[in-house]
Each structure stands twice: as C-alpha cells, then as structure tokens.
C-alpha cells in the first residue's frame, strides 16, 4: 500500500516537473535564439586603423600601402577602415575610397589632428578651419564619423587643456 501511495504521489509530481522543465528549456532555447538574432542584428563591428599600420612602416614607394592593409582586412573579415589623416601624404579621398571599395571595405571614420588646444580664440582659428575642411573630406571618404585628436601641450594642466578645447566651439 505504501508503494502504491508513493506512485500515486510521484506520477503527478513527475508530470508537473516535466512540464516545468520543458517550459524552462523551451523558453531558454527561444531566449538564446532571440539573443543570437539580436546580436546578429546589432553585431559588433571591427575596423582597421591606418595609423597603426603606418606606424609599422607599411610603405610602398614612400607612401602608406593601403592595398596591403586592405588584404589583411579581407583575411580577417574586417569591412571597415578608420582613415587617419597623417597616414597619407598627400591625402586623396577619392582614390582611398576606390581602393577600399575594390577590396570590399569602406571608411567608417576619419581621424585628424586640428590645433584646437590654444589659449586664445585667434590661436584656435586655424584648428576650427581644419575641422570644417576635415568634415568635407570625411564626406568624400564616404563616412559621417570623425575623430578629432587634440593633443595636450607639454607640462599643461588638464584643466587648461579642457578649457582650451571647450572654447573651440
């Protein structure tokens, strides 16, 4: 009789537990599928930066070898490139964009170095003009993203640097 009561209690319990476990796993599988879909939709993208390659002395005929960098990007599956202004001399946005397109890549950012860290408005004028020019270059490169690098001066206090940059707008 004790064994019979045990089965009478255990059978419904096992069925309820099984339903709960199946519900949990089906939700978990659905959740993982939803997470994978969200990650794929918003997947993290990587870009190569010409600056880091140029620092490795990737030169061809005295100029930075963009084609060689594009081939590395292709091997890695990287589609984006951050073009840094001083990696090229002279900088030719149209030819850069063509080389990248020929290798299935595109410019995702244009980085440049305007002299904005100056204590006077007159001193910052050249930097402001350089920003305006760089925005036009970024558009020609096919990107709407720019990164402005404004180095600090030797022995400059951080607050001075911040105030100079904030006055630039």
């Amino acid at each position: 009789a004790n064994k019979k009561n045990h089965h009478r209690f255990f059978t419904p319990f096992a069925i309820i537990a099984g339903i709960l476990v199946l519900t949990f796993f089906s939700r978990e599988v659905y959740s993982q599928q939803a997470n994978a879909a969200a990650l794929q939709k918003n997947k993290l993208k990587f870009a190569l930066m010409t600056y880091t390659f140029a620092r490795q002395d990737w030169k061809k005929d005295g100029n930075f070898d963009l084609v060689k960098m594009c081939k590395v990007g292709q091997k890695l599956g990287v589609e984006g490139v951050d073009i840094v202004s001083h990696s090229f001399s002279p900088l030719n946005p149209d030819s850069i964009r063509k080389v990248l397109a020929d290798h299935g890549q595109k410019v995702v950012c244009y980085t440049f170095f305007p002299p904005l860290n100056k204590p006077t408005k007159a001193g910052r004028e050249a930097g402001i003009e350089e920003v305006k020019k760089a925005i036009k270059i970024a558009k020609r490169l096919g990107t709407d993203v720019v990164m402005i690098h404004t180095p600090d001066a030797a022995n400059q206090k951080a607050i001075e640097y911040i105030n100079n940059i904030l006055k630039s707008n």
Side-chain angles (χ1 to χ4, degrees):
N2 197 9
K3 211 175 195 183
K4 197 173 199 179
N5 286 338
H6 175 71
H7 284 296
R8 195 185 296 159
F9 171 75
F10 183 73
T11 301
F13 176 76
I15 291 171
I16 293 170
I19 291 170
L20 291 174
V21 167
L22 286 174
T23 303
F24 170 78
F25 282 119
S26 66
R27 283 186 182 164
E28 185 63 24
V29 167
Y30 175 77
S31 174
Q32 287 177 358
Q33 288 171 341
N35 286 342
L39 285 173
Q40 188 63 24
K41 180 181 174 189
N42 301 311
K43 74 179 182 180
L44 184 61
K45 296 183 180 181
F46 292 91
L48 299 180
M49 187 179 215
T50 59
Y51 174 78
T52 54
F53 282 83
R55 288 184 50 90
Q56 302 302 317
D57 200 31
W58 280 44
K59 304 283 184 190
K60 178 181 179 183
D61 302 326
N63 291 305
F64 175 72
D65 192 347
L66 183 60
V67 172
K68 187 175 176 183
M69 189 187 86
C70 286
K71 289 179 181 176
V72 170
Q74 285 177 312
K75 285 181 185 176
L76 296 173
V78 176
E79 299 170 2
V81 176
D82 177 358
I83 298 295
V84 181
S85 62
H86 65 261
S87 300
F88 301 91
S89 182
L91 179 85
N92 184 331
D94 301 321
S95 66
I96 289 171
R97 193 171 177 177
K98 181 176 179 346
V99 168
L100 292 175
D102 289 347
H103 292 87
Q105 297 165 336
K106 65 181 180 175
V107 178
V108 296
C109 184
Y110 176 57
T111 301
F112 59 102
F113 305 80
L116 295 172
N117 184 14
K118 305 290 181 187
T120 65
K121 183 175 180 170
R124 290 186 296 274
E125 285 298 321
I128 292 168
E129 289 305 311
E130 195 171 319
V131 170
K132 292 175 185 177
K133 181 180 166 186
I135 290 170
K136 291 176 184 175
I137 291 170
K139 287 180 181 180
R140 281 181 57 200
L141 286 167
T143 185
D144 60 355
V145 177
V146 296
M147 180 170 32
I148 300 173
H149 180 71
T150 53
D152 58 350
N155 301 320
Q156 184 180 36
K157 293 181 180 175
I159 193 68
E160 293 174 274
Y161 169 78
I162 291 168
N163 282 332
N164 287 342
I165 300 304
L166 291 176
K167 292 175 194 172
S168 295
N169 61 13

